[in-house]
C-alpha cells in the first residue's frame, strides 16, 4: 500500500494496487515457513484424533466404560480357565460293600464310622464313609508340600475321582499340626484338579492310617495316601508315595474297582 495513506490507483483490471516487498534473501522467510509447517502438523493431528475418537465420543463416556468392562471380563475368564481349579466330581451313588474282608479302619475294610468337616467357605459336616471314590491325603505336622499333591490332584481329576487333603492333628514333639491355611496353600499348588480340604479334629483318619507322630524318614514326614473304592472299601494305604507310573496305576485302579 502507498505510505501516504491515499487511495491507491487501480490497475488495468480495476483492482487496487498493493505494494509487495520481495526479500533479497529467501532465508528471511525461514521462520515463517517453519511456523506454517508446525501449524499444519497440529491441524493434521487434530483431524486424525477426531476421526479415531469420533465413534466413541458420539455416545459420551458410555462406550469406553463398556469396552473396558468387557475386556476385564474376558481376561478374567481366560485366566480362570487356564489356572483356576477344576470342579470336583460328585460322590458316587454306589452302595457300601455289605461284607468287606477286614474291619473298619484297615486295608480291605470300610473307612471308620465317624464325621469330619468339609471346609469350603464354611464348615460342612460329612460322614467319613461318604468320602468315595477317591484318595484321602493325610499330611503330618509341619508338612512341607510335595509334588505328589499336584500329581494326585491331576490323576484323580483325569479319572473322575475325588481327592481330599486332611491334616493329622496329633502333636509330634515340638512340631505343630499343619494349619488349615497351610493346607489350603498346598492345595493351591495343584492346577489340574481341585483338592478338597477336610478338618478331622479327632484325628480319626490319622489314627487309623497314618504312622505314629514323630516317625523318622519319608514315611513319617511325607503324605499318607488312602485309596478308597466306590463301594467304600480301602484297597491300599501308601505312606510317602512318589509321583510316577506306579502311583498313576493305583489311582486308575479305583475307577475300575
Amino acid at each position: 500500500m502507498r505510505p501516504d495513506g491515499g487511495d491507491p490507483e487501480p490497475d488495468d483490471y480495476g483492482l487496487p494496487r498493493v505494494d509487495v516487498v520481495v526479500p533479497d534473501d529467501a532465508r528471511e522467510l525461514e521462520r515463517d515457513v517453519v511456523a506454517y509447517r508446525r501449524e499444519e502438523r497440529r491441524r493434521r493431528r487434530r483431524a486424525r484424533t477426531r476421526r479415531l475418537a469420533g465413534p466413541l465420543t458420539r455416545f459420551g463416556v458410555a462406550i469406553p466404560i463398556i469396552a473396558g468392562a468387557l475386556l476385564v471380563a474376558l481376561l478374567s475368564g481366560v485366566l480362570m480357565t487356564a489356572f483356576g481349579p477344576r470342579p470336583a466330581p460328585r460322590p458316587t451313588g454306589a452302595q457300601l460293600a455289605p461284607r468287606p474282608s477286614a474291619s473298619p479302619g484297615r486295608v480291605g475294610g470300610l473307612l471308620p464310622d465317624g464325621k469330619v468337616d468339609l471346609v469350603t467357605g464354611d464348615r460342612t459336616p460329612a460322614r467319613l464313609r461318604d468320602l468315595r471314590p477317591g484318595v484321602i491325603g493325610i499330611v503330618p505336622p509341619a508338612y512341607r508340600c510335595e509334588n505328589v499333591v499336584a500329581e494326585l490332584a491331576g490323576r484323580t481329576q483325569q479319572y473322575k475321582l475325588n481327592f481330599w487333603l486332611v491334616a493329622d492333628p496329633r502333636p509330634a514333639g515340638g512340631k505343630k499340626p499343619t494349619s488349615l491355611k497351610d493346607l489350603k496353600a498346598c492345595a493351591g499348588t495343584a492346577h489340574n484338579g481341585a483338592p478338597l480340604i477336610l478338618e478331622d479334629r479327632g484325628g480319626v483318619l490319622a489314627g487309623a492310617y497314618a504312622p505314629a507322630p514323630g516317625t523318622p524318614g519319608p514315611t513319617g514326614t511325607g503324605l499318607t495316601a488312602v485309596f478308597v473304592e466306590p463301594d467304600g472299601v480301602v484297597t491300599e494305604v501308601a505312606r510317602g508315595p512318589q509321583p510316577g507310573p506306579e502311583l498313576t496305576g493305583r489311582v486308575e485302579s479305583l475307577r475300575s474297582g
Side-chain angles (χ1 to χ4, degrees), residues 16-253:
R17 295 185 179 275
V18 178
D19 293 332
V20 178
V21 178
V22 179
D24 297 331
D25 191 344
R27 287 178 296 182
E28 296 180 10
L29 298 175
E30 184 177 356
R31 283 186 295 181
D32 295 334
V33 172
V34 170
Y36 171 76
R37 290 175 178 173
R38 185 185 303 115
E39 184 60 31
E40 281 296 298
R41 286 196 297 269
R42 290 176 181 171
R43 185 187 61 79
R44 288 195 295 268
R45 281 197 298 268
R46 287 194 295 268
R48 187 163 52 247
T49 302
R50 283 194 296 270
R51 285 198 304 270
L52 294 176
L56 298 179
T57 56
R58 184 182 306 171
F59 302 99
V61 297
I63 294 300
I65 292 176
I66 294 174
L70 290 176
L71 180 60
V72 171
L74 178 62
L75 292 176
S76 300
V78 171
L79 292 176
M80 286 295 293
T81 302
F83 301 108
R86 308 309 197 267
R90 295 181 178 180
T92 180
Q95 298 294 321
L96 287 171
R99 290 183 294 275
S101 61
S103 59
R106 297 183 178 275
V107 175
L110 300 175
L111 290 168
D113 188 10
K115 289 186 177 182
V116 292
D117 288 334
L118 178 62
V119 181
T120 51
D122 300 319
R123 287 175 170 80
T124 304
R127 295 180 64 242
L128 284 176
R129 293 181 180 177
D130 289 338
L131 304 182
R132 56 190 173 94
V135 181
I136 302 172
I138 306 172
V139 304
Y143 179 66
R144 299 181 64 180
C145 194
E146 303 169 298
N147 293 335
V148 69
V149 172
E151 177 74 9
L152 283 171
R155 295 307 178 190
T156 50
Q157 174 73 21
Q158 178 182 354
Y159 296 117
K160 309 300 183 203
L161 300 167
N162 297 285
F163 180 40
W164 298 271
L165 278 180
V166 61
D168 184 347
R170 300 173 297 177
K175 298 179 180 179
K176 295 182 179 180
T178 301
S179 66
L180 284 176
K181 179 181 178 181
D182 291 337
L183 205 60
K184 292 178 180 179
C186 184
T189 62
H191 298 303
N192 294 320
L196 300 173
I197 304 299
L198 300 176
E199 187 174 30
D200 182 13
R201 295 187 183 94
V204 177
L205 289 169
Y209 303 108
T215 300
T219 298
T221 59
L223 176 138
T224 297
V226 181
F227 297 83
V228 188
E229 289 190 340
D231 61 0
V233 173
V234 175
T235 59
E236 187 176 0
V237 176
R239 295 172 176 174
Q242 297 298 316
E246 183 179 356
L247 184 63
T248 300
R250 291 174 178 175
V251 176
E252 184 179 10
S253 66

